[in-house]
mmCIF file of all heavy atoms in Angstrom:
data_model
loop_
_atom_site.group_PDB
_atom_site.id
_atom_site.type_symbol
_atom_site.label_atom_id
_atom_site.label_comp_id
_atom_site.label_asym_id
_atom_site.label_seq_id
_atom_site.Cartn_x
_atom_site.Cartn_y
_atom_site.Cartn_z
ATOM 1 N N ASP A 47 1.679 -6.570 -6.656
ATOM 2 C CA ASP A 47 0.343 -6.095 -6.808
ATOM 3 C C ASP A 47 0.117 -4.705 -5.886
ATOM 4 O O ASP A 47 -0.526 -3.830 -6.279
ATOM 5 C CB ASP A 47 -0.687 -7.040 -6.488
ATOM 6 C CG ASP A 47 -0.758 -8.215 -7.515
ATOM 7 O OD1 ASP A 47 -0.248 -7.965 -8.651
ATOM 8 O OD2 ASP A 47 -1.260 -9.309 -7.165
ATOM 9 N N VAL A 48 0.679 -4.912 -4.717
ATOM 10 C CA VAL A 48 0.609 -3.697 -3.753
ATOM 11 C C VAL A 48 1.373 -2.562 -4.366
ATOM 12 O O VAL A 48 0.970 -1.418 -4.368
ATOM 13 C CB VAL A 48 1.206 -4.136 -2.396
ATOM 14 C CG1 VAL A 48 1.343 -2.902 -1.463
ATOM 15 C CG2 VAL A 48 0.283 -5.149 -1.707
ATOM 16 N N ILE A 49 2.537 -2.807 -4.950
ATOM 17 C CA ILE A 49 3.288 -1.732 -5.497
ATOM 18 C C ILE A 49 2.546 -1.031 -6.719
ATOM 19 O O ILE A 49 2.464 0.186 -6.810
ATOM 20 C CB ILE A 49 4.689 -2.173 -6.103
ATOM 21 C CG1 ILE A 49 5.639 -2.624 -4.957
ATOM 22 C CG2 ILE A 49 5.381 -1.210 -7.014
ATOM 23 C CD1 ILE A 49 6.853 -3.434 -5.285
ATOM 24 N N ARG A 50 1.905 -1.948 -7.484
ATOM 25 C CA ARG A 50 1.058 -1.352 -8.626
ATOM 26 C C ARG A 50 -0.056 -0.481 -8.061
ATOM 27 O O ARG A 50 -0.258 0.651 -8.543
ATOM 28 C CB ARG A 50 0.528 -2.490 -9.405
ATOM 29 C CG ARG A 50 -0.134 -2.057 -10.741
ATOM 30 C CD ARG A 50 -0.529 -3.200 -11.544
ATOM 31 N NE ARG A 50 0.539 -4.177 -11.837
ATOM 32 C CZ ARG A 50 0.632 -5.418 -11.276
ATOM 33 N NH1 ARG A 50 -0.344 -5.888 -10.471
ATOM 34 N NH2 ARG A 50 1.687 -6.274 -11.533
ATOM 35 N N ALA A 51 -0.734 -0.938 -7.046
ATOM 36 C CA ALA A 51 -1.846 -0.170 -6.452
ATOM 37 C C ALA A 51 -1.366 1.141 -5.787
ATOM 38 O O ALA A 51 -2.017 2.187 -6.060
ATOM 39 C CB ALA A 51 -2.555 -1.047 -5.389
ATOM 40 N N VAL A 52 -0.191 1.116 -5.111
ATOM 41 C CA VAL A 52 0.310 2.342 -4.452
ATOM 42 C C VAL A 52 0.735 3.272 -5.533
ATOM 43 O O VAL A 52 0.650 4.525 -5.339
ATOM 44 C CB VAL A 52 1.362 1.950 -3.405
ATOM 45 C CG1 VAL A 52 2.033 3.142 -2.909
ATOM 46 C CG2 VAL A 52 0.784 1.114 -2.257
ATOM 47 N N THR A 53 1.248 2.786 -6.604
ATOM 48 C CA THR A 53 1.852 3.673 -7.694
ATOM 49 C C THR A 53 0.529 4.319 -8.295
ATOM 50 O O THR A 53 0.609 5.539 -8.681
ATOM 51 C CB THR A 53 2.529 2.818 -8.737
ATOM 52 O OG1 THR A 53 3.726 2.182 -8.185
ATOM 53 C CG2 THR A 53 2.911 3.773 -9.891
ATOM 54 N N HIS A 54 -0.547 3.593 -8.436
ATOM 55 C CA HIS A 54 -1.766 4.239 -9.060
ATOM 56 C C HIS A 54 -2.249 5.328 -8.043
ATOM 57 O O HIS A 54 -2.697 6.425 -8.571
ATOM 58 C CB HIS A 54 -2.853 3.200 -9.223
ATOM 59 C CG HIS A 54 -2.671 2.391 -10.371
ATOM 60 N ND1 HIS A 54 -2.485 2.774 -11.664
ATOM 61 C CD2 HIS A 54 -2.590 1.062 -10.462
ATOM 62 C CE1 HIS A 54 -2.322 1.731 -12.499
ATOM 63 N NE2 HIS A 54 -2.329 0.618 -11.710
ATOM 64 N N ALA A 55 -2.120 5.078 -6.808
ATOM 65 C CA ALA A 55 -2.572 6.121 -5.761
ATOM 66 C C ALA A 55 -1.669 7.272 -5.892
ATOM 67 O O ALA A 55 -2.113 8.425 -5.795
ATOM 68 C CB ALA A 55 -2.539 5.527 -4.360
ATOM 69 N N ARG A 56 -0.322 7.066 -6.030
ATOM 70 C CA ARG A 56 0.576 8.254 -6.098
ATOM 71 C C ARG A 56 0.204 9.079 -7.326
ATOM 72 O O ARG A 56 0.212 10.244 -7.214
ATOM 73 C CB ARG A 56 2.015 7.636 -6.191
ATOM 74 C CG ARG A 56 3.056 8.717 -6.331
ATOM 75 C CD ARG A 56 4.368 8.267 -6.932
ATOM 76 N NE ARG A 56 4.308 7.829 -8.209
ATOM 77 C CZ ARG A 56 5.192 7.131 -8.834
ATOM 78 N NH1 ARG A 56 6.246 6.842 -8.228
ATOM 79 N NH2 ARG A 56 5.073 6.660 -10.121
ATOM 80 N N ASN A 57 -0.069 8.374 -8.484
ATOM 81 C CA ASN A 57 -0.398 9.103 -9.697
ATOM 82 C C ASN A 57 -1.696 9.856 -9.645
ATOM 83 O O ASN A 57 -1.899 10.806 -10.300
ATOM 84 C CB ASN A 57 -0.389 8.056 -10.903
ATOM 85 C CG ASN A 57 0.954 7.551 -11.106
ATOM 86 O OD1 ASN A 57 2.041 8.028 -10.758
ATOM 87 N ND2 ASN A 57 0.932 6.417 -11.827
ATOM 88 N N ALA A 58 -2.598 9.397 -8.709
ATOM 89 C CA ALA A 58 -3.843 10.011 -8.652
ATOM 90 C C ALA A 58 -3.885 11.118 -7.460
ATOM 91 O O ALA A 58 -4.847 11.878 -7.298
ATOM 92 C CB ALA A 58 -4.894 9.048 -8.177
ATOM 93 N N ARG A 59 -2.713 11.318 -6.823
ATOM 94 C CA ARG A 59 -2.626 12.253 -5.649
ATOM 95 C C ARG A 59 -3.044 13.628 -6.028
ATOM 96 O O ARG A 59 -3.805 14.229 -5.343
ATOM 97 C CB ARG A 59 -1.205 12.187 -5.137
ATOM 98 C CG ARG A 59 -0.991 12.604 -3.786
ATOM 99 C CD ARG A 59 0.354 12.203 -3.288
ATOM 100 N NE ARG A 59 1.438 12.585 -4.226
ATOM 101 C CZ ARG A 59 2.170 13.784 -4.043
ATOM 102 N NH1 ARG A 59 1.773 14.631 -3.154
ATOM 103 N NH2 ARG A 59 3.021 14.045 -4.929
ATOM 104 N N MET A 60 -2.525 14.192 -7.127
ATOM 105 C CA MET A 60 -2.683 15.582 -7.486
ATOM 106 C C MET A 60 -4.246 15.719 -7.912
ATOM 107 O O MET A 60 -4.838 16.782 -7.663
ATOM 108 C CB MET A 60 -1.754 16.093 -8.532
ATOM 109 C CG MET A 60 -0.480 16.334 -8.014
ATOM 110 S SD MET A 60 -0.513 17.661 -6.677
ATOM 111 C CE MET A 60 0.000 16.830 -5.230
ATOM 112 N N GLU A 61 -4.707 14.745 -8.625
ATOM 113 C CA GLU A 61 -6.078 14.721 -8.984
ATOM 114 C C GLU A 61 -6.994 14.764 -7.820
ATOM 115 O O GLU A 61 -8.039 15.481 -7.803
ATOM 116 C CB GLU A 61 -6.335 13.504 -9.903
ATOM 117 C CG GLU A 61 -7.660 13.494 -10.667
ATOM 118 C CD GLU A 61 -7.852 12.302 -11.430
ATOM 119 O OE1 GLU A 61 -6.843 11.702 -11.937
ATOM 120 O OE2 GLU A 61 -9.014 11.830 -11.522
ATOM 121 N N LEU A 62 -6.690 14.039 -6.823
ATOM 122 C CA LEU A 62 -7.441 14.056 -5.575
ATOM 123 C C LEU A 62 -7.424 15.445 -4.943
ATOM 124 O O LEU A 62 -8.378 15.983 -4.612
ATOM 125 C CB LEU A 62 -6.915 13.049 -4.525
ATOM 126 C CG LEU A 62 -7.572 12.917 -3.220
ATOM 127 C CD1 LEU A 62 -9.005 12.483 -3.335
ATOM 128 C CD2 LEU A 62 -6.798 12.145 -2.313
ATOM 129 N N ALA A 63 -6.176 16.088 -4.921
ATOM 130 C CA ALA A 63 -5.968 17.399 -4.334
ATOM 131 C C ALA A 63 -6.820 18.469 -5.049
ATOM 132 O O ALA A 63 -7.385 19.312 -4.409
ATOM 133 C CB ALA A 63 -4.555 17.701 -4.286
ATOM 134 N N GLU A 64 -6.801 18.382 -6.343
ATOM 135 C CA GLU A 64 -7.497 19.384 -7.207
ATOM 136 C C GLU A 64 -8.981 19.260 -7.200
ATOM 137 O O GLU A 64 -9.673 20.206 -7.058
ATOM 138 C CB GLU A 64 -6.961 19.383 -8.626
ATOM 139 C CG GLU A 64 -5.394 19.664 -8.810
ATOM 140 C CD GLU A 64 -5.141 21.065 -8.296
ATOM 141 O OE1 GLU A 64 -5.902 22.025 -8.497
ATOM 142 O OE2 GLU A 64 -4.042 21.146 -7.648
ATOM 143 N N ALA A 65 -9.458 18.086 -7.437
ATOM 144 C CA ALA A 65 -10.904 17.908 -7.696
ATOM 145 C C ALA A 65 -11.540 16.924 -6.786
ATOM 146 O O ALA A 65 -12.840 16.913 -6.768
ATOM 147 C CB ALA A 65 -11.035 17.361 -9.203
ATOM 148 N N GLY A 66 -10.805 16.135 -5.996
ATOM 149 C CA GLY A 66 -11.433 15.168 -5.142
ATOM 150 C C GLY A 66 -12.210 14.198 -5.930
ATOM 151 O O GLY A 66 -13.242 13.644 -5.620
ATOM 152 N N ASP A 67 -11.624 13.920 -7.119
ATOM 153 C CA ASP A 67 -12.319 13.028 -8.135
ATOM 154 C C ASP A 67 -12.571 11.577 -7.588
ATOM 155 O O ASP A 67 -11.673 11.052 -6.764
ATOM 156 C CB ASP A 67 -11.398 12.935 -9.317
ATOM 157 C CG ASP A 67 -12.032 12.186 -10.506
ATOM 158 O OD1 ASP A 67 -13.065 12.703 -10.969
ATOM 159 O OD2 ASP A 67 -11.509 11.243 -10.865
ATOM 160 N N GLU A 68 -13.619 10.963 -8.024
ATOM 161 C CA GLU A 68 -13.944 9.686 -7.495
ATOM 162 C C GLU A 68 -12.955 8.624 -7.932
ATOM 163 O O GLU A 68 -12.552 7.662 -7.267
ATOM 164 C CB GLU A 68 -15.356 9.241 -7.999
ATOM 165 C CG GLU A 68 -15.836 7.880 -7.494
ATOM 166 C CD GLU A 68 -17.194 7.535 -7.874
ATOM 167 O OE1 GLU A 68 -18.042 8.534 -8.133
ATOM 168 O OE2 GLU A 68 -17.589 6.404 -7.827
ATOM 169 N N SER A 69 -12.408 8.707 -9.136
ATOM 170 C CA SER A 69 -11.443 7.798 -9.670
ATOM 171 C C SER A 69 -10.151 7.790 -8.859
ATOM 172 O O SER A 69 -9.483 6.735 -8.491
ATOM 173 C CB SER A 69 -11.216 7.839 -11.041
ATOM 174 O OG SER A 69 -10.582 9.113 -11.356
ATOM 175 N N ALA A 70 -9.808 9.066 -8.366
ATOM 176 C CA ALA A 70 -8.662 9.200 -7.513
ATOM 177 C C ALA A 70 -8.838 8.534 -6.135
ATOM 178 O O ALA A 70 -8.007 7.874 -5.668
ATOM 179 C CB ALA A 70 -8.279 10.665 -7.448
#
Side-chain angles (χ1 to χ4, degrees):
D47 293 343
V48 170
I49 291 169
R50 191 175 307 108
V52 173
T53 300
H54 287 302
R56 180 196 64 193
N57 295 341
R59 202 167 51 90
M60 285 299 113
E61 189 177 330
L62 178 69
E64 296 299 322
D67 188 63
E68 185 176 336
S69 65

